[in-house]
Amino acid sequence: MKGHIVINRELCKGCLLCVEVCPKQVIQVSGQLNRMGYFPACYVEEDIADPSQRQCTACTLCATTCPDIAIEVYRD
């Protein structure tokens, strides 16, 4: 099963726990600050329109690990 995630960059405080737990390594630190002055996590497959080309499996490890509830997981 494939999926994708949406990270609310304004809620993210850049702890990067999601980066550590992602088995497919599709989350990384952003190069741009959010309004609170943190470098938030970002989903690297955001621009891939075809779900079959994505690596994300919607395992939810990132969302359950996020202390700020900044990640939503969707199954395609």
Side-chain angles (χ1 to χ4, degrees):
M1 177 173 285
K2 296 289 183 171
H4 68 279
I5 64 171
V6 175
I7 300 173
N8 183 328
R9 54 180 286 109
E10 297 307 324
L11 288 179
C12 179
K13 291 183 183 155
C15 72
L16 304 180
L17 291 172
C18 56
V19 174
E20 297 297 320
V21 299
C22 181
K24 298 296 183 175
Q25 300 178 332
V26 295
I27 307 171
Q28 65 185 17
V29 64
S30 172
Q32 298 177 355
L33 295 171
N34 63 14
R35 282 189 261 157
M36 303 249 317
Y38 298 109
F39 287 102
C42 67
Y43 176 51
V44 298
E45 298 183 315
E46 195 169 17
D47 295 330
I48 299 175
D50 182 5
S52 67
Q53 300 298 313
R54 295 185 191 136
Q55 296 297 309
C56 179
T57 60
C59 69
T60 72
L61 286 174
C62 58
T64 56
T65 303
C66 180
D68 298 309
I69 314 170
I71 303 173
E72 295 177 7
V73 179
Y74 297 94
R75 293 197 168 122
D76 297 325

